[in-house]
Amino acid sequence: EVQLVETGGGLVQPGRSLKLSCVASGFTFNNYWMSWTRQAPGKGLEWVASITNSGGSTYYPDSVKGRFTISRDNAQNTLYLQMNSLRSEDTATYYCTRDGVWGQGVMVTVSS
Amino acid sequence: DIVMTQGALPNPVPSGESASITCQSSKSLLHSNGKTYLNWYLQRPGQSPQLLIYWMSTRASGVSDRFSGSGSGTDFTLKISSVEAEDVGVYYCQQFLEYPLTFGSGTKLEIK
């Protein structure tokens, strides 16, 4: 069974950093591009970052470019999202995704 | 950026009737390879989004044949024939033709 399990969320102060992890199982991780998508409370879906299967290329929307970094460890079947200079508008549930498969999500709250 | 605009439903929809959700893109999603780069998702209350349709009209694995997708390069429709209680939630269209990946704002379905 294909599974994506996110961890690392929590409460963080504005301007601080947080790193999310996503452990993948049930498929050959290094064959797939991976992404992070977020959803602010009561709002819609917003794509946050994508990475190629090798990790050689990454993509971001302007809203997080320069602050967030997506990376992966194919040996550990793990996807990461390093989030720096966090803002209140980054408060959301963050989902790890692959080709239409979504994890259960992890909540990140940015507040003082 | 490609803007995705979704229409509303005349909620609540009587159980057993059909419902059509519209989505319009600001740029054609039809690629030169003949594929249309549009997904449809359902997010049930309290759950992660679930992929329903990809390539505009291909049902994802395990998705009921009551769901069908159609459209042109910029105008799309998700049709649910004979709606059931389990169809309640918010439906999103998403383009994956180019970065940044973008979603529609969502269409809520309620059942009577």
Side-chain angles (χ1 to χ4, degrees), chain A residues 97-108:
Chain A
T97 70
R98 179 227 94 176
D99 270 6
V101 179
W102 295 58
Q104 85 287 352
V106 63
M107 185 67 197
V108 172

Side-chain angles (χ1 to χ4, degrees), chain B residues 27-108:
Chain B
K27 176 181 176 177
S28 176
L29 303 183
L30 176 60
H31 193 275
S32 56
N33 63 12
K35 294 185 176 182
T36 302
Y37 284 57
L38 180 94
N39 289 331
W40 285 100
Y41 293 92
L42 163 60
Q43 186 174 32
R44 295 186 174 97
Q47 295 186 18
S48 302
Q50 169 198 358
L51 180 67
L52 297 175
I53 301 285
Y54 59 96
W55 299 131
M56 185 180 71
S57 59
T58 303
R59 262 190 308 277
S61 176
V63 173
S64 169
D65 59 6
R66 296 185 298 104
F67 293 90
S68 61
S70 63
S72 62
T74 58
D75 293 274
F76 312 99
T77 301
L78 175 70
K79 183 176 179 181
I80 313 168
S81 64
S82 187
V83 298
E84 300 177 357
E86 66 179 19
D87 302 334
V88 164
V90 180
Y91 291 79
Y92 295 94
C93 59
Q94 178 212 19
Q95 66 81 19
F96 58 106
L97 178 70
E98 63 184 42
Y99 289 107
L101 308 180
T102 48
F103 292 86
S105 58
T107 300
K108 190 171 186 178

Side-chain angles (χ1 to χ4, degrees), chain A residues 44-63:
Chain A
L45 301 169
E46 180 188 17
W47 167 72
V48 170
S50 293
I51 187 168
T52 56
N53 57 317
S54 67
S57 293
T58 57
Y59 305 86
Y60 307 93
D62 288 344
S63 58

